[in-house]
């Protein structure tokens, strides 16, 4: 939480191989120019869409192929989320970091399957969980022999159909491990559209800046060349064209807060 | 939601075959005496305990054996929860009703696997979901050819480490299907103990009465002969010895509210 | 909390003397027929409307005149709310019970002014306060020499623009004194209309039944002959024509729950 | 919200004239050195303490004397909060800015009394109010002929006994007027101590930085030379000794975010 931040960036879901590659190319270009460590993120399956007819992605095998291809061609580490225990091993063959989805973060078999791969794990904090309870998930990983755990804030339930980011809670999690801020999913308005979540894309910059000002290990974002046409979570996605100016701000805030002289208040 | 309520009752987890049988025997005796339709509930696996060392249950095959045995011996229908898609078919061979766990209620593969069995499904409303959003889960089931869906209220996130039951939300769900009130899980205080949830057992009667007064299709409760010694969720469990006087109250309230002349307010 | 419930009923605001009288007449007629102890409620001033142009009422002196007149003509006790310390004494000359408004319930001068009159006080639980914190307000009254305090539940903040009634919290307050359930304000949706609160009038019966099932000392409701034309909180008001069938249900539930054999769960 | 931020700083309550003067002296020294526009804040009365025995302050007349003295000696503008309509005029004789307390922010008479003085008003957003509803309070002020209104975020109710700062809500309020962030009251844990609120002082820096990163017009803080000995809200107060390094950080973040090239996301 004190080194320059790592960017976990990419697309919500692997819409098609060409688009994923284009998105990664843009992320690589921008982060290289800015000198930001970069991990490419995309899901091979969206396992909990609001509607059964919603696009879910290419599935495990094709998705891993695409990710492996991107990884090789761009020479970037890759992160993706795992939804069932049996997926952990094949995903770990390709992905450098495994992500534990928020709604599933307490499913013991999934946690131990991920931990068993030995790969670092990015645990999304469930919207229904207090920050302090993340300790239990970390302990489950440790008890499975894996202590390479990152904690990812993506908002907490605030009444119905709303998420709120508790900056103090995110700060508390820094005592437990590296903290990553998922600054685009936190823009969601669950159930805000007829058959999917709405989002607050126009406030993407402000929310991410506030999170970076806390002083954290990583920033997680999803972008799309045309958010309105995105097949999942477009209302929360950063337009790809805004990526560079957006990251310029985040990098500046990150550098500044990590450069401050320590100030302990008791 | 207008007929006499059905009781879904039993134990949190199948601690051992003898205890499960004893608990069922007591439920059968009491519900027979009171004339309350009864479905036995117990989990073969607690898949999302706070700690990895917590008791999880006998597992799928032994658990189904025990449930099948109970079903035959007591001639009662049985409900149990399913955590992974591949479990749906074997569970449906034994169980009369399948339960979709709250945290997993949006996992499309699990929903369609349950729906595909043709058995009625009890959908636990996720603590993070607005009542209106339950429509999406019902639609997923219908699109999978199954419209025998019950909606089960078990409390909503209220800040950290607290659940609250929205009686108005439960009432709204009556427009979508039969509503079941899980009146003991709603007593939980998530993360309230060092390594597990706490509960408000002493308020079990009051909360259940309030829910019954709404006028619903079913009551869901977990009981234990010695809640302090229960292997899971004891702080929220009804002491088995209190079952009969508890149900006497619930039946009386249920009969009363369903006997009232209709009163529509516009 | 164990005797038959008292009804605190009337209008939101004293719209005009004639209407107030008509409303009271109907309440008196119905409660006499049903044998329900009745206290007439109406506000002389709505001091915290959303908009400055909203109707506020006749004000202190005219309002007290009207209330005094109603009190005499119908021979009923009267309750009304007090917004500033200097109003406490004149209000206490007319009203039998003083009401402490929710947003003002922590204003020490107002609390002590009310307590100083020696009259019983109905403390509306602020939407922002935990049930346990009501002890502080009771203590303030006691320290001012007045221990005739009732605690009134009217919903808690649940995210933005929503209220939720915590039946377990209401139950906890029974340990502190007589509990009254304001079953119509709890229907509010704050900020739900362009310039005022919206409400969930169509759910009035269900919510009140749930509250009565807890077993409480009093029910507080506001009714109106034509809720759509009410000058304040019409969306939450009970149509006056529904009063009798509504109270029939509440009385039945109240009698039933207070007639149950005690059932302590430890 | 685009100019360098103004600091509203001082003490929670005017404990005694000497201490208030010392605190102001330190604020003046530090803000002069840093070139931060400064307004001194202190309350003459804490009108809604949890307990009747809690320290309330010197009261209106002595408090205004002290504030007038501080204002003259240090040549700083002064802000203080007003609790009853009749206080507005005398307070406006001394204070340059009037503050509308959160719990009282919907009391129409108080709002119009403050507005009627012609002085700028700092409206504390009630913990129970949605950001959009602040428009109603602004409109009340405008309808009273005063449009010099600042909107002050101090946290929203999040379950019981907790406050959470909605950075997206604070951002929305920027469309309505200058936004001030009360970064120390937002640290409160209401009801967290036996007879008063607890606080999260050790997280003061992080929360304030996050708020400054939103890009706002003002920062509001309370400090104390010895927070443990403070007579009100010590658990949320900044230690005076930390003021300069704290402000150095806030000023740096403020300058940075206001220096960024505009980045509109649609």
């Amino acid at each position: 939480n004190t080194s320059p931040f790592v960017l976990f960036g990419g697309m919500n879901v692997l819409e098609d191989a060409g688009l994923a590659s284009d998105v990664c190319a843009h992320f690589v270009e921008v982060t290289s120019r800015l000198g930001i460590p970069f991990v490419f993120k995309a899901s091979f399956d969206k396992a909990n869409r609001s509607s059964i007819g919603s696009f879910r992605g290419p599935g495990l095998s094709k998705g891993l192929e695409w990710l492996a291809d991107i990884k090789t061609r761009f020479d970037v580490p890759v992160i993706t989320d795992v939804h069932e225990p049996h997926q952990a091993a094949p995903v770990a063959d390709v992905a450098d970091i495994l992500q534990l989805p928020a709604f599933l973060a307490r499913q013991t078999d999934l946690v131990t399957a991920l931990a068993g791969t030995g790969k670092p794990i990015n645990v999304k904090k469930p919207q229904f969980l207090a920050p302090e309870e993340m300790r239990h998930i970390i302990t489950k990983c440790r008890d499975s022999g894996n202590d390479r755990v990152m904690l990812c804030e993506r908002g907490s339930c605030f009444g119905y159909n709303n998420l709120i980011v508790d900056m103090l809670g995110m700060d508390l999690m820094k005592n437990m491990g590296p903290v990553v801020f998922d600054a685009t999913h936190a823009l969601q308005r669950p159930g805000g559209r007829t058959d999917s979540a709405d989002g607050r894309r126009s406030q993407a910059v402000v929310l991410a800046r506030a999170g970076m000002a806390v002083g954290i290990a990583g920033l997680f974002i999803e972008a799309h060349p045309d958010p309105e046409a995105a097949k999942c979570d477009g209302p929360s996605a950063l337009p790809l064209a805004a990526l560079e100016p957006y990251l310029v701000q985040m990098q500046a805030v990150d550098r500044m807060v990590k450069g401050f002289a320590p100030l302990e208040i008791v």
Side-chain angles (χ1 to χ4, degrees), chain A:
Chain A
N1 299 314
T2 52
S3 311
F5 80 100
V6 173
L7 181 70
F8 301 82
M11 310 181 68
N12 186 284
V13 56
L14 289 163
E15 300 190 7
D16 68 62
L19 185 60
S21 176
D22 291 352
V23 168
C24 186
H26 190 71
F27 266 96
V28 167
E29 185 195 321
V30 170
T31 55
S32 301
R33 194 151 51 222
L34 298 176
I36 296 173
F38 172 63
V39 179
F40 181 70
K41 184 269 159 184
S43 297
F44 58 81
D45 183 24
K46 305 307 292 182
N48 62 15
R49 299 297 308 264
S50 294
S51 298
I52 203 172
S54 305
F55 181 75
R56 287 186 54 169
L60 181 67
S61 62
K62 197 178 288 184
L64 289 179
E65 250 176 62
W66 296 358
L67 286 173
D69 178 60
I70 282 175
K71 185 176 162 164
T72 312
R73 279 173 45 217
F74 295 100
D75 192 25
V76 289
V78 154
I79 180 173
T80 197
D81 40 341
V82 181
H83 314 278
E84 301 198 36
H86 71 84
Q87 300 171 333
V91 170
D93 284 344
V94 172
D96 303 274
I97 306 178
L98 307 185
Q99 182 163 296
L100 182 59
F103 293 157
L104 306 179
R106 286 189 51 171
Q107 304 300 315
T108 305
D109 289 341
L110 186 59
V111 174
T112 56
L114 265 63
T117 65
K119 293 286 171 96
I121 303 170
N122 184 35
V123 181
K124 292 276 193 103
K125 189 176 88 59
Q127 296 88 326
F128 52 82
L129 211 73
E132 277 301 328
E133 289 182 79
M134 289 293 275
R135 288 193 192 282
H136 297 310
I137 300 173
I138 296 172
T139 304
K140 280 184 183 175
C141 290
R142 287 210 178 128
D143 289 350
S144 307
N146 189 332
D147 61 359
R148 301 164 74 195
V149 179
M150 293 171 283
L151 307 173
C152 182
E153 169 69 35
R154 47 94 76 243
S156 294
C157 292
F158 183 63
Y160 294 136
N161 304 309
N162 201 2
L163 294 179
I164 194 167
V165 176
D166 178 9
M167 296 292 167
L168 294 175
M170 192 153 78
D171 184 51
L172 285 178
M173 290 198 296
K174 289 164 64 178
N175 298 322
M176 308 180 207
V179 170
V180 176
F181 180 29
D182 179 346
T184 50
H185 280 101
L187 296 167
Q188 282 180 332
R189 298 278 269 183
R193 297 199 164 185
T194 313
D195 59 355
S196 61
D198 201 353
R200 293 166 284 191
R201 192 168 64 222
S202 67
Q203 297 187 288
V205 178
V206 156
L207 184 64
R209 280 198 322 229
M212 296 311 289
V214 171
I216 53 178
L219 175 65
F220 180 110
I221 56 170
E222 292 178 352
H224 197 279
D226 180 5
E228 287 300 310
K231 293 189 173 166
C232 184
D233 268 335
S236 299
L238 190 72
L240 204 58
L243 181 63
E244 185 154 9
Y246 173 95
L247 285 178
V248 163
Q249 294 197 11
M250 300 317 142
Q251 187 178 43
V253 173
D254 183 64
R255 281 181 177 159
M256 173 173 277
V257 300
K258 287 172 184 163
F260 286 138
L263 174 53
E264 284 291 310
I265 292 180
V266 289

